[in-house]
Amino acid sequence: MKMKKLLSTLYITTPEIYLALDGENVVILQENSEIGRAPLHNLDSIVTFGYSGASPALMGKCVKKGIPISFMSRNGKFLARIEGEVNGNVLLRRDQYRIADDDRSLEIARNMIAAKLYNSKNVLNRTMRDHGMRIDRELFGRKSEFLQSQTKNALNAVNKDSLRGIEGEGASVYFSVFDDMILQQKKDFYFHTRNKRPPLDNVNAMLSFAYTLTAGMCASALEAVGLDPYVGFLHTDRPGRRSLALDLMEEFRAPMCDRFVLTLINKKLINCSDFIQNEDGAVSMTDTGRKKFITSWQNRKNDEIKHSFLGEKMQWGMLPYVQALLLSRYIRGDLDSYPPFFWK
């Protein structure tokens, strides 16, 4: 299987930063003074938080080199993305659009949601294995069994509405014990319910941030293999919504994002001083908090895992690309079905 090298993403977390070009390097400027630089050949994307922007010369160079630049608000909301020509071929995308409009889209969606539920179950199982003395094992066992049954139900869903119902029930049961997996800093980190527009507590702020970063990785991966990230198989089409990226991300929510957030809390890599509450009640990370989060995120992307379908070891950061590649192979007819990512 042809693989690409996992390059780095340059994250700019300080809002007052301006990005410029010097030869083959991106130059990081603060108040017109250079505070850092990075060779473009080491980067596969740039993500900047704030509104200072980037020079036209840098944007033009990144377009030519296929390095997308994503602009986010300080709170991590996606604003815009600059990228070059589409890498895919028109035949692959035409097949993607056909599948999106027929019954084959349900088959792909079933597999993706089944993987989400299976992976959520295994997050609970891993907690029982590693922290069995600190949780209600009987409660977790019941939740795990329910998620296992929902995994089977997802594979047999008769239509997308019923599949969404199965996914919703599974997510509700999974998140009902999410607070029990928070074992440290309980006064400052608690989870009552999932809220996102806006996040109203520290845990939801981190979950939303992790999901945003992962959605961006999935969108880039889909574009890299030639697929249209805006035309999905489960999430409905909506202007500006990267529906297929959101579909693909379902497989990674629990093992890649949720466990990462729990690790930051339980290992005390982040604390209450890294968050701020706005007047409207919305909670977001401080600049320092975002830096801590992203540094750990980059390290996590470099950790290795064995792929359940391919049987090969690879970095976590490669998983969206690998799944996008497998999806494109199914759409081309090289695979009999789409093999989702099952975390074991």
Side-chain angles (χ1 to χ4, degrees), residues 82-328:
I82 295 172
E83 57 192 333
E85 295 181 1
V86 173
N87 292 319
N89 62 69
V90 66
L91 297 179
L92 176 63
R93 292 199 172 202
R94 282 171 66 90
D95 286 339
Q96 176 189 351
Y97 302 149
R98 291 190 188 99
I99 290 175
D101 290 331
D102 66 32
D103 292 338
R104 288 174 293 175
S105 63
L106 175 59
E107 179 187 345
I108 296 173
R110 281 176 184 151
N111 288 352
M112 288 177 167
I113 296 303
K116 174 183 181 176
L117 294 166
Y118 179 91
N119 294 340
S120 299
K121 176 204 71 173
N122 276 351
V123 168
L124 302 190
N125 289 349
R126 184 67 66 91
T127 301
M128 286 192 286
R129 189 193 76 182
D130 295 343
H131 306 288
M133 300 296 291
R134 304 184 66 181
I135 60 167
D136 185 339
R137 286 184 60 88
E138 183 179 344
L139 175 65
F140 270 67
R142 290 198 304 269
K143 305 292 185 179
S144 175
E145 288 176 5
F146 180 81
L147 289 170
Q148 178 64 33
S149 66
Q150 288 297 84
T151 300
K152 296 177 181 177
N153 291 337
L155 292 171
N156 295 314
V158 296
N159 55 51
K160 291 182 183 178
D161 284 339
S162 66
L163 181 61
R164 293 186 185 100
I166 292 166
E167 184 274 332
E169 286 185 62
S172 178
V173 166
Y174 168 72
F175 277 122
S176 72
V177 290
F178 198 81
D179 189 66
D180 297 88
M181 293 188 281
I182 299 172
L183 306 174
Q184 301 287 343
Q185 308 186 83
K186 294 291 287 187
K187 178 182 176 182
D188 300 311
F189 294 93
Y190 49 83
F191 183 89
H192 296 152
T193 186
R194 178 76 181 112
N195 49 69
K196 49 189 175 181
R197 296 188 184 93
L200 301 176
D201 56 65
N202 297 345
V203 176
N204 274 290
M206 286 195 290
L207 288 174
S208 292
F209 194 48
Y211 295 155
T212 296
L213 295 178
T214 304
M217 291 169 61
C218 289
S220 297
L222 291 164
E223 288 167 349
V225 302
L227 292 171
D228 186 342
Y230 290 89
V231 178
F233 302 127
L234 181 62
H235 287 82
T236 54
D237 294 344
R238 186 184 301 170
R241 180 198 232 183
R242 297 175 291 182
S243 295
L244 187 57
L246 296 177
D247 288 348
L248 187 63
M249 185 177 72
E250 296 292 0
E251 304 171 25
F252 306 121
R253 283 181 182 269
M256 192 169 187
C257 302
D258 300 351
R259 288 191 75 242
F260 175 75
V261 168
L262 290 169
T263 296
L264 289 184
I265 299 169
N266 291 334
K267 290 190 175 181
K268 299 182 180 181
L269 299 175
I270 204 159
N271 56 62
C272 64
S273 66
D274 295 315
F275 298 84
I276 186 171
Q277 185 172 37
N278 302 318
E279 291 182 1
D280 62 355
V283 174
S284 59
M285 279 182 281
T286 64
D287 293 346
T288 301
R290 265 197 306 273
K291 288 178 182 178
K292 290 180 182 179
F293 189 104
I294 286 172
T295 298
S296 296
W297 181 258
Q298 290 282 57
N299 292 334
R300 173 61 166 160
K301 284 168 62 177
N302 288 319
D303 288 345
E304 282 197 341
I305 185 173
K306 187 174 182 180
H307 195 279
S308 55
F309 177 74
L310 298 174
E312 298 178 13
K313 284 188 176 181
M314 62 188 62
Q315 295 156 309
W316 270 97
M318 284 299 302
L319 288 175
Y321 172 77
V322 170
Q323 291 307 125
L325 188 59
L326 291 171
L327 180 59
S328 71

